[in-house]
Amino acid sequence: MAIEDPIVTGLANGWKHIDASQLTQDQTLEADVVIVGSGAGGGVAAEIMTEAGLSVIIVEGGPLKSSESFNMEERRAYPNLYQQAASMKTKDKAIGIFQGRAVGGSTTINWTTSIRTPENALAFWAEHKSVEGLSREALTPWFEKMEQRLSITEWPFEPNRNNMAIKQGCEALGWDYTVIKRNVAGCWNTGYCGMGCPVNAKQSMLVTTIPAALDRGATLVSRAKVSKIEHHNDKVYALKAQTLTESLRPSGVQLMLKAKHFILSAGAIHTPALMMRSRLPDPQKLLGKRTFLHPTVLSGALFNDAINGHSGAPQSIYSDQFVWQDGADGELGYKLEVPPIHPVLIASKSLGYGQSHAELMAQFNQLQVTIALMRDGYHADSPGGQVQLTDKGYTLDYPLTDAFWRAARRAFASMAELQFAAGAQKVLPMSEGMPFLPSWQAAKEAIADMTLAPFKTVVASAHVMGGCPLGEDKQMAMVDSRGRSHYLENLSVMDGSLFPTSLGANPQLSIYGITARNASLLAEELGGA
């Protein structure tokens, strides 16, 4: 039996929800706090602000959906729940990017992996990025709070066969591996987290913090895109927003949003883009720069037995064997995980065409896929990308550097070694021109000589971070270590754009924990109960 749908129940009980696509006249709304975005940062901030007795408006560009809308079909989920129908790419089209666009943001469609910010990242930020107060000891109570709130616990069941390959390979090779903590309660283990949880087991913002805030009187405005931050001297006095149609195109109605304090939680592309478009003070020209992706390469492997990677918890095992091996600022490290294996997702991320692609897809149920997420932003030759404004909106320019390609070659070798150690019959590095490789020895030799290049090698990302870094030194930070703007007294940022480097870990729990800390400090300052 599915868990009760809190969205249906809440709307029936009179939640203040405005579907902006239905508005026909301009409106002005006012509250103590306006929050832009309803994902990991916006959701947590909304709950904490309302708990403190503050009135809150949450503005979200995407639609309000619920489990009634989630039918486990890729053809519907990607256009309905993802930015640019899951086809977003970097400026040169070399990297595909997955980001959510619905109430709950990316937490509605992510794969539930919940990992605390690595201590190595926090130490690097303290030593090199002027970040204060975010040591592991200082953050532990906030991680514990959010783990309890969102039912984040170690996955207690057997990994699916796709994840089991990582475990078996690591055990055979003596490599490190960890059982993943997931934010689920009553999970059915269906494997369709990326299409919206159909039974409300995933403890995303859609079913936890946003309903809690609405129960306490918050107002949710969906299908409204904040277009400009109106500011004067050192203060924000309003946000302007455009209402969107059901197909998310501007409908011509304007909203004016006023508050004592404004929180930007629109994510690591849209928060910097909104600040740039609004011409906020940025004397060091930091906005949008140093945007990180954990750029990811993929390795397929065929096994004799059925993998059925579409079924079961998408991610339950990872390996950090190579993440910090050369030190934080040494050669780029990489984290080993698996993705869920659904037909459209894999068909669009594998190479070849015609007969060769048909043959690959014909063996779909025996295909195991391992991914390597590069830890970007620490090495001198890994400066990340840059969000840029365009006539039509924004773009992310992310050149892939020599340091990345060196790491990619090492990662392809590591993934192939792991897959063969787990029992793979043959391995396919996802790069144009590479054949299935029949043994670890053959793979080692072929990968050492393979050509790696943009468009030739498949590179993807589901983790966008940076672009509005935190820290105490204004030469390198836009906001302080509590997320408060260095230049506008009533503006905060609470999302992944704060990170001064990537994390080397999936970001959702880092956003939850750091936002919980910073939002609690802000609520106390704003005079909440």
Side-chain angles (χ1 to χ4, degrees):
M1 179 179 177
I3 301 165
E4 179 184 322
D5 189 330
I7 304 301
V8 171
T9 303
L11 292 173
N13 289 337
W15 276 354
K16 297 177 192 171
H17 170 235
I18 299 171
D19 180 347
S21 70
Q22 304 302 307
L23 297 178
T24 56
Q25 293 185 323
D26 294 354
Q27 293 194 19
T28 297
L29 304 173
E30 190 163 355
D32 292 327
V33 181
V34 170
I35 300 172
V36 182
S38 62
V44 171
E47 180 172 38
I48 289 172
M49 293 296 150
T50 55
E51 274 180 340
L54 298 162
S55 60
V56 169
I57 297 171
I58 308 158
V59 191
E60 167 59 49
L64 174 61
K65 301 283 187 180
S66 80
S67 55
E68 289 191 345
S69 314
F70 305 148
N71 62 3
M72 303 165 70
E73 290 189 22
E74 289 180 282
R75 62 176 178 149
R76 297 186 189 279
Y78 299 150
N80 287 338
L81 302 175
Y82 286 69
Q83 296 281 352
Q84 299 179 21
S87 62
M88 184 191 298
K89 292 187 183 297
T90 49
K91 185 177 183 179
D92 64 1
K93 315 299 183 191
I95 308 174
I97 301 172
F98 296 101
Q99 278 196 303
R101 189 178 192 185
V103 173
S106 291
T107 72
T108 298
I109 47 86
N110 72 16
W111 303 335
T112 75
T113 298
S114 304
I115 303 171
R116 295 186 184 187
T117 316
E119 188 171 8
N120 288 339
L122 296 174
F124 187 88
W125 296 356
E127 183 176 357
H128 299 285
K129 300 297 178 184
S130 72
V131 176
E132 297 180 358
L134 297 183
S135 66
R136 184 179 69 171
E137 293 74 19
L139 283 174
T140 292
W142 300 104
F143 287 137
E144 290 175 345
K145 172 185 171 78
M146 295 314 300
E147 286 165 350
Q148 182 175 17
R149 171 68 181 95
L150 301 174
S151 302
I152 294 173
T153 57
E154 190 174 281
W155 182 239
F157 305 108
E158 188 85 345
N160 71 1
R161 184 71 181 87
N162 196 28
N163 283 271
M164 182 62 84
I166 287 191
K167 181 180 177 182
Q168 291 174 334
C170 286
E171 286 176 340
L173 296 167
W175 292 358
D176 160 271
Y177 73 89
T178 301
V179 178
I180 287 174
K181 290 183 176 180
R182 308 181 65 222
N183 55 320
V184 295
C187 179
W188 285 23
N189 205 14
T190 64
Y192 286 75
C193 307
M195 284 155 245
C197 181
V199 295
N200 296 308
K202 178 162 57 173
Q203 300 297 286
S204 70
M205 301 302 94
L206 180 65
V207 302
T208 55
T209 57
I210 296 295
L214 293 172
D215 284 342
R216 294 192 184 97
T219 298
L220 170 65
V221 184
S222 63
R223 290 192 176 109
K225 179 183 178 181
V226 175
S227 55
K228 190 175 182 185
I229 301 167
E230 298 285 0
H231 59 99
H232 184 66
N233 292 331
D234 60 352
K235 213 165 178 184
V236 176
Y237 59 89
L239 304 181
K240 283 185 175 177
Q242 301 173 328
T243 61
L244 304 176
T245 65
E246 291 187 0
S247 58
L248 303 182
R249 298 180 184 279
S251 64
V253 176
Q254 301 290 321
L255 297 178
M256 182 74 79
L257 305 163
K258 296 183 177 179
K260 297 176 186 173
H261 200 93
F262 299 85
I263 298 174
L264 303 183
S265 302
I269 290 179
H270 296 286
T271 288
L274 174 60
M275 297 171 83
M276 293 161 68
R277 194 162 55 239
S278 304
R279 299 183 183 278
L280 265 54
D282 180 17
Q284 305 304 321
K285 304 301 178 190
L286 300 172
L287 277 175
K289 294 177 180 169
R290 291 185 59 79
T291 299
F292 305 106
L293 291 175
H294 286 156
T296 299
V297 294
L298 302 80
S299 181
L302 284 177
F303 284 68
N304 281 337
D305 59 320
I307 297 296
N308 293 329
H310 58 280
S311 178
Q315 293 187 321
S316 54
I317 302 288
Y318 68 77
S319 173
D320 275 354
Q321 178 72 24
F322 302 99
V323 181
W324 304 100
Q325 200 170 50
D326 293 318
D329 56 359
E331 287 290 295
L332 274 60
Y334 44 90
K335 189 180 193 72
L336 300 178
E337 297 179 344
V338 305
I341 303 178
H342 294 285
V344 175
L345 180 66
I346 292 302
S348 64
K349 294 302 171 195
S350 52
L351 292 169
Y353 51 88
Q355 186 174 352
S356 66
H357 194 261
E359 290 174 356
L360 174 67
M361 295 306 292
Q363 301 173 90
F364 173 77
N365 283 340
Q366 291 169 259
L367 181 66
Q368 195 273 340
V369 178
T370 299
I371 55 178
L373 294 70
M374 308 302 166
R375 178 177 53 77
D376 48 347
Y378 299 81
H379 188 281
D381 190 26
S382 180
Q386 181 175 353
V387 175
Q388 299 170 341
L389 300 182
T390 68
D391 292 341
K392 295 182 179 179
Y394 63 87
T395 189
L396 173 60
D397 185 23
Y398 192 112
L400 291 166
T401 65
D402 290 344
F404 166 79
W405 292 117
R406 291 196 299 273
R409 191 179 302 279
R410 294 194 303 276
F412 276 123
S414 297
M415 291 189 288
E417 185 176 12
L418 178 86
Q419 289 167 317
F420 281 117
Q425 297 305 299
K426 47 188 178 181
V427 164
L428 177 66
M430 297 289 188
S431 192
E432 188 65 52
M434 289 299 289
F436 271 108
L437 302 166
S439 68
W440 164 226
Q441 185 60 38
K444 188 160 55 173
E445 294 170 2
I447 290 169
D449 292 332
M450 69 189 285
T451 301
L452 298 170
F455 314 112
K456 190 177 181 70
T457 305
V458 177
V459 184
S461 170
H463 302 161
V464 187
M465 300 157 282
C468 183
L470 81 173
E472 301 306 309
D473 184 348
K474 292 183 180 179
Q475 299 294 314
M476 63 177 86
M478 286 297 299
V479 299
D480 67 19
S481 302
R482 301 191 307 164
R484 299 288 298 268
S485 169
H486 279 308
Y487 305 103
L488 296 166
E489 65 180 49
N490 62 339
L491 181 70
S492 294
V493 174
M494 298 186 187
D495 59 24
S497 68
L498 293 174
F499 302 152
T501 64
S502 74
L503 302 174
N506 305 49
Q508 74 162 335
L509 181 52
S510 292
I511 300 173
Y512 295 146
I514 293 172
T515 296
R517 168 192 183 265
N518 290 350
S520 297
L521 294 170
L522 177 61
E524 186 177 343
E525 187 175 322
L526 293 178

